[in-house]
Amino acid sequence: VRLYVLALVWVLIGSALYAFQLLSRAAELA
Amino acid sequence: LLECLAHAALAAGTALSWLGLGGLVLRPVTPSGDRLLEGLNRLGVGALAFALITFAAGWLGVLYAGVYIPVFAATALAGVVRLVRLLAGLRWPRLRSWPPWQLAVLALLAVYVVIDVVATCAPISSADALYHHAAAPELFEQTHELQELRWSWNSYQPYTVEMLVLDGFLLWDSVQGAFAPLVLAVASLVAVGGLAYRLAGRTAALLAAAVFFAQPFMVWMATSTFVEPGLALALALAIWNLVVFALRGGTAPLVLAGAFAGGAAGIKYPGVAAAGLLALAAAVLLRRRLTLVRALAFALPAFAVALPWYVKNAVLTGNPIYPFVFGGANAEATEAAFESFESYGHGESLVDLVLLPFRMLADAEPFDRGEFISPLFLLFAPLALLVRRFRRPVAIVWLAGIAYTLSWFFGSQHARFLVPLMPAFAVLAAIGIVALASEGRAGRLMATTVTGAALAAGVGVSAVYAAQFVPVAIGAESEREFLTENTSYFEGVDWMNRNLPPDARVVVDHVFVLHLDRPAVVWTADVLPTTAGPAETRAFVERFRLTHAAVFAADGARRRQLRYLGARVIGRVSVRPVTSRTLSEFGPPEPMLVYAL
């Protein structure tokens, strides 16, 4: 269970980071 | 549009010719019963065989369409026969029974293939292709033999994919040449999906294929005459054959795995590191079955496939891995090469290393378009460790991947040099997505939402990238207009095409020479250091029988050398660099001077 929670946290943090990259690039272009 | 369709049809013919030749080469090998792998093995071996035959033909000076096309036709015919045999009695997937999301992923992959075909139909405009990936094959085609491109150290890298590009030139033109890497990319898509299917079933197969192929980065790789799709295919097939050996034993899978690992080493220098680490990972995983005979069954074909390129360098330059370790053309050239490596990424400190995975997700632009790599690799590949039955092999793959990434980190931090990792890590990511989705409601929600969102964002970015190629691909924009908008300094190239005598031989102050219709030498430090004096400069001009030069007005060193020659200015053209093709962004215009020598 602990590993599973860790995995969820990693995916959450990682996707937030990627969303930040995507949105900041989009904002740059706009 | 018809021309684009004809290119695509000939690309399919090229794939058939690889399949046909591979079938002949692998005739003595007993069929394994896995028809998909058999087909891919034959296609991959055929591509390697075509590359080596083209290489040999280049040494013999017989690079003529009249020689290539009959071979192409005969092997394509053999390929049709082989394909019919492979497909006979095959049970096709029953798409009607597939859940809607799986059909959507399949449709998405089909959309990507269409995007890639359209983008490849445009005239070549990628910087590295204009410099050597396509420019070198064009030179070989025009002179009917292999030449040394003394001005480009990159051209001393192994040239397996460039030989296949050259075959495209012999078949038709530069665009046909650019289709060779695309065929390799589509084959690697099938290989990644097939490998994941055999390991973990259809769900994982579709996800692995999507993680690998349905990303803007792979659109860029597959459509820009890069060699990386070849690396991906070679490594995917080496891995798949090693998996077959691990599961069923036999010598043939080891020989094939070795041949493909050698194929990777014969495509680009980083392929040596990837192939070596793959061999090491396999040796660790299969150590109980490791014998000298088995090691040789892998290593001998690997060396046989890769070695010609390194022997060629040793013969021509005295350095098999020119210009590394044993020295390049001169100090200035070596410095320039290393400078180009170090101009990417965030740095090489310990902090940079720790931040690397986070930067790959949040700030990957400095890795040369790293922001277009799918985030799904990094998000989900670690989660493959959650699956107990895969844990040991996954851990070894991860260790090999980390070792490769370290060599990349301390070498050259170009995102595209990470492509060798993508086949294996796409499979791991797919296993990770499935693992998370099967761990409760939150896991399922997270896995599906994140994967769906990443794929949706990816197809949006890919569509924006590919849109620039549509008008020229369908004939609504002229090639000249397209090249002016999409290749740096094309105004100067165009001026020279229209004004220089047909027998001119030009030395050019930038690397974008593919579309220059006269023989061209790129004026790098490799051919003449900027500090060279009058005698050396005159010898350089004589050696390459140069008649004209095109240099930037601001390049004081080269203009001084032109003064040694008493060269006179015959043209002054305002040129501009393209900083982004997709966004139509240009650098400031600058004057370029054309000299008669």
Side-chain angles (χ1 to χ4, degrees):
Chain A
V1 174
R2 204 177 298 161
L3 269 180
Y4 166 63
V5 173
L6 207 63
L8 273 179
V9 171
W10 166 242
V11 174
L12 197 66
I13 293 174
S15 30
L17 287 172
Y18 183 71
F20 164 78
Q21 169 162 268
L22 204 65
L23 293 175
S24 56
R25 187 104 169 99
E28 221 175 272
L29 301 184
Chain B
L1 187 64
L2 272 179
E3 203 172 304
C4 186
L5 290 174
H7 279 301
L10 281 176
T14 305
L16 283 171
S17 74
W18 295 349
L19 184 67
L21 184 60
L24 296 174
V25 175
L26 295 182
R27 218 186 173 93
V29 177
T30 324
S32 67
D34 185 335
R35 291 200 209 180
L36 182 59
L37 179 59
E38 267 173 43
L40 285 167
N41 276 337
R42 273 149 189 77
L43 185 126
V45 166
L48 291 175
F50 255 111
L52 289 173
I53 291 170
T54 308
F55 178 59
W59 281 115
L60 296 173
V62 291
L63 294 173
Y64 292 91
V67 175
Y68 171 70
I69 289 174
V71 178
F72 166 80
T75 50
L77 203 64
V80 172
V81 174
R82 177 72 50 187
L83 187 67
V84 168
R85 269 194 221 156
L86 284 169
L87 296 181
L90 194 74
R91 281 206 351 246
W92 290 91
R94 285 171 49 209
L95 295 182
R96 263 188 229 163
S97 65
W98 287 22
W101 78 263
Q102 292 190 353
L103 291 171
V105 172
L106 195 65
L108 179 72
L109 292 169
V111 166
Y112 266 93
V113 172
V114 172
I115 286 177
D116 286 359
V117 167
V118 170
T120 310
C121 280
I124 292 174
S125 60
S126 167
D128 283 24
L130 297 173
Y131 182 21
H132 75 108
H133 293 309
E138 184 190 49
L139 180 66
F140 305 155
E141 184 230 357
Q142 287 169 350
T143 57
H144 309 296
E145 61 183 3
L146 293 187
Q147 303 273 343
E148 262 188 281
L149 277 73
R150 286 287 177 108
W151 51 92
S152 161
W153 70 261
N154 316 58
S155 69
Y156 289 87
Q157 298 231 33
Y159 251 21
T160 294
V161 174
E162 285 82 352
M163 291 298 104
L164 302 174
V165 173
L166 170 56
D167 288 346
F169 272 86
L170 292 170
L171 189 58
W172 188 354
D173 62 2
S174 59
V175 170
Q176 198 59 51
F179 264 88
L182 176 56
V183 174
L184 294 169
V186 174
S188 48
L189 156 71
V190 179
V192 168
L195 171 61
Y197 183 75
R198 297 295 181 237
L199 287 173
R202 190 170 72 213
T203 299
L206 285 164
L207 289 171
V211 171
F212 174 77
F213 199 73
Q215 48 165 340
F217 193 78
M218 197 49 75
V219 175
W220 182 48
M221 287 292 97
T223 65
S224 306
T225 333
F226 281 128
V227 303
E228 275 71 12
L231 276 177
L233 178 63
L235 290 163
L237 288 178
I239 293 168
W240 193 349
N241 281 292
L242 282 171
V243 169
V244 171
F245 171 77
L247 298 176
R248 288 187 232 149
T251 310
L254 276 182
V255 172
L256 285 162
F260 288 121
I267 287 173
K268 198 171 194 172
Y269 290 148
V272 180
L277 284 165
L278 176 65
L280 191 64
V284 171
L285 272 168
L286 303 165
R287 63 183 177 281
R288 289 208 186 110
R289 293 157 68 184
L290 195 63
T291 63
L292 181 65
V293 173
R294 284 176 178 152
L296 287 175
F298 178 89
L300 287 180
F303 279 105
V305 172
L307 220 51
W309 300 103
Y310 298 87
V311 171
K312 179 211 81 170
N313 278 356
V315 169
L316 293 178
T317 68
N319 178 359
I321 45 169
Y322 184 89
F324 302 106
V325 184
F326 308 106
N330 53 61
E332 186 182 342
T334 306
E335 200 178 312
F338 280 94
E339 228 169 72
S340 76
F341 296 155
E342 281 152 19
S343 56
Y344 292 97
H346 286 273
E348 293 182 354
S349 72
L350 190 64
V351 175
D352 294 317
L353 187 58
V354 172
L355 288 176
L356 182 64
F358 305 100
R359 281 176 169 158
M360 287 306 290
L361 290 166
D363 187 15
E365 209 179 335
F367 301 111
D368 190 15
R369 282 165 263 205
E371 73 272 32
F372 298 124
I373 293 182
S374 170
L376 298 173
F377 290 102
L378 260 178
L379 292 183
F380 289 104
L383 276 57
L385 288 162
L386 291 175
V387 185
R388 203 173 289 268
R389 74 182 169 116
F390 287 132
R391 197 164 286 166
R392 203 166 149 263
V394 166
I396 301 287
V397 172
W398 259 104
L399 286 176
I402 289 170
Y404 181 86
T405 307
L406 284 174
S407 78
W408 172 87
F409 181 82
F410 292 110
S412 181
Q413 296 180 13
H414 271 61
R416 72 171 187 272
F417 296 168
L418 292 173
V419 168
L421 296 177
M422 288 185 179
F425 279 80
V427 176
L428 260 52
I431 292 171
I433 293 169
V434 175
L436 186 64
S438 56
E439 293 257 10
R441 201 187 291 170
R444 190 177 184 80
L445 185 70
M446 185 78 92
T448 49
T449 312
V450 170
T451 306
L455 292 176
V459 77
V461 176
S462 300
V464 171
Y465 171 75
Q468 65 187 314
F469 303 113
V470 174
V472 72
I474 63 168
E477 184 185 19
S478 75
E479 189 175 319
R480 193 172 163 210
E481 226 174 307
F482 172 82
L483 290 172
T484 308
E485 295 301 309
N486 292 284
T487 65
S488 291
Y489 315 123
F490 184 73
E491 303 86 349
V493 168
D494 190 40
W495 188 93
M496 288 189 275
N497 284 344
R498 284 184 289 114
N499 292 287
L500 295 188
D503 59 346
R505 296 177 63 88
V506 195
V507 60
V508 185
D509 208 2
H510 61 73
V511 302
F512 309 99
V513 291
L514 174 71
H515 298 292
L516 182 57
D517 296 339
R518 313 289 188 277
V521 170
V522 178
W523 209 346
T524 58
D526 299 72
V527 276
L528 188 74
T530 51
T531 50
E536 212 180 328
T537 306
R538 270 193 290 276
F540 159 68
V541 168
E542 270 166 36
R543 180 182 180 190
F544 290 100
R545 290 179 288 122
L546 298 167
T547 60
H548 293 79
V551 300
F552 295 107
D555 190 343
R558 294 312 189 194
R559 290 185 66 193
R560 187 183 61 234
Q561 288 171 329
L562 287 166
R563 279 198 294 278
Y564 299 151
L565 302 166
R568 64 192 166 83
V569 176
I570 58 165
R572 192 183 175 90
V573 196
S574 176
V575 297
R576 55 184 185 169
V578 176
T579 50
S580 167
R581 292 179 296 169
T582 312
L583 308 174
S584 299
E585 283 175 2
F586 304 94
E590 47 192 315
M592 173 156 258
L593 305 174
V594 182
Y595 288 78
L597 306 184

